[in-house]
Amino acid sequence: MDCVFCRIIRGGEEPAYVVYEDDHVIAILDKYPINRGSHTRNAKEAL
């Protein structure tokens, strides 16, 4: 699969501000946030 989140996880193919990352998940700030600090958390592996 090749979505925007996959391109971010692969190492910066898409710009993103990473606020947290470990072996299993990544959290990034929303590009167009509704509220300050709004973020998205994603698993690094597809289910």
Side-chain angles (χ1 to χ4, degrees):
M1 189 176 232
D2 192 41
C3 66
V4 66
F5 300 112
C6 296
R7 293 190 298 267
I8 291 169
I9 291 167
R10 277 196 300 260
E13 294 176 25
E14 289 285 330
Y17 187 84
V18 178
V19 294
Y20 178 80
E21 184 173 12
D22 65 18
D23 293 338
H24 306 286
V25 298
I26 187 169
I28 57 173
L29 289 180
D30 288 347
K31 188 172 184 177
Y32 302 107
I34 294 173
N35 296 311
R36 185 174 182 219
S38 183
H39 65 280
T40 303
R41 291 171 286 182
N42 296 90
K44 287 190 169 183
E45 293 185 29
L47 298 175

